[in-house]
Amino acid sequence: MSIRTIGVIGAGAMGRGIAQIAAQAGFEVLLFDQNQEAVAAARQSLQQVWEKLSAKGKITEAVAGESLARVRTCASLQDMAQAQLVIEAIVERLDIKRELFKQLEEIVAADCILASNTSSLSITAIAQACEKPGRVAGYHFFNPVPLMKVVEIIDGLRSDAQTGDALIALAREMGHTPVRARDMPGFIVNHAGRGMNIEGLKAVQESVASFAQVDAIMREQAGFRMGPFELMDLTGLDVSHPVMESVYRQFYDEPRFRPSPITAVRVAGKLLGRKTGRGFYDYGEDQTAKPEAPAVPPLPDGLRVWLAPFQSVGHRRAAALLKALGANLITSDRPPHDALIVVTPFGEDAASIVGAYELDGERTVALDTFFGLEQGRRRVLMCCAATAPQWRDAAHALFAGDGTAVSVIQDSAGFVAQRIVAAIVNVACDIAQQSIASPGDIDLAVSLGLGYPHGGPLSIGDKLGASHLLEILRAMQRVTGDMRYRPSLWLQRRVQLGMSLRAEAASQ
Ligand code: NAI
């Protein structure tokens, strides 16, 4: 059966977007909403979108006119009889979606595909009300649909493989990249997205750093487009907080997904983000206002530096930088009594290192070497509870010596970026371990759906070194005692076998 006519039910933000890409790709679109005003408003807004696109020269006037002519508004659900595919984008309620799918089965042809754009409900559960659950699958687009060029195809437990195959082919015709997932909570993107937000919140909750510091570190040290708090302000906590709770509960209180009371309080106080004018940042007057960075303190005369040799990779990287900065490096086995002590942990906090090696905590500052230390990449220094302000300032001045921005944070297992990136990679590894999607589709979905750098989380893991990430997670678990940091078996085994994180089992 070839799909030429696509029914779209629900003319809200998502239904409009789906109708737009379908009509632009040459499909006839039947648009229905229980609220007739929503249908009329949707058609009008589509007209405006196409007029704008043609005014900007992105599409021709003819394409704009033809696309609009292909969108037929429907007054009754019965009009879906002509569709070969119906995509549902109505309210996110299982009972209402089930009822709709049941009604649709009485209207549409026997081989018509029924797809749901749900982002959080089980496709198997929606299809359960259908006579022919084999024709039901998930078709999860992202907002705004025309710009977010990825779509998750979700196979329910009773979905026929050809249902998903047809949706994959159609996605390509509409110019979108399809990725395929099993029916598990959060599918791929909303599952993989847990790492960043939840670990960012945990770091702030532990008083490691401020919201703005975490964001700056994720952007300028780890190379992400946005930090977790900028992202949550953009999405709105009214959306993000319930997703955090729902994925956590659906995985039966998996510690990796444990949400934070920080967002619960902010939701209660309506500090939702950009949409309410205030979230983690204030959007009142100046939408781009960010807190100012503290000034770089003066470098003390004759500063002597002792670099701890305990973590070999970190030591090598830090030694090269200190040399380039012209630091007065002391190479004795034990730190002299008057030198700044620099430690370079992977996953451990500064206090653990001070304790284990009997260092002077007052003079100890940790440097995060994990992402590289080249000029221009933000550097992160971490104090333990005993670090004295003059030694903290001396380290700040030293590492800002070539004009590179420096963040100074409080003690944390895994600094800020190590712990967040380790969480992101670990969650992605566990999605692969559960066969929710292929490693290639996990990377594709997350790089397109969340804009993560370097081709997605598994590739990030390979690039930074899977064995280092394993070391970081194990140290974090040891220091905190928290099971959320236990390494995924996928990560552990690929490190043991020297395989890429993108590699599937050879015998599978
Ligand atoms: P929306 O609230 O903008 O639009 C929903 C539309 O569905 C409304 O116009 C409403 O009148 C209509 N509707 C509700 N019940 C109906 C019924 N029984 N029959 C016909 N029409 C009905 O919602 P939005 O944001 O477009 O979301 C729709 C679906 O897409 C939900 O399942 C949501 O979870 C999913 N989704 C939303 C995303 C987003 O960022 N907004 C992203 C991905 C998926």
Side-chain angles (χ1 to χ4, degrees), residues 9-16 18 32-36 38-39 77 88-93 96-97 100 103 116-121 139-145 190 235 239:
I9 305 191
M14 297 306 289
R16 286 174 197 196
I18 296 166
F32 174 77
D33 195 293
Q34 67 178 14
N35 172 3
Q36 276 302 299
V39 184
L77 201 59
E88 161 281 308
I90 65 166
V91 61
E92 188 76 336
R93 284 251 315 259
I96 300 180
K97 288 198 199 272
L100 175 70
Q103 283 178 32
S116 172
N117 186 46
T118 182
S119 53
S120 65
L121 301 172
Y139 214 21
H140 181 216
F141 288 91
F142 296 82
N143 194 16
V145 180
N190 282 344
T235 314
V239 175

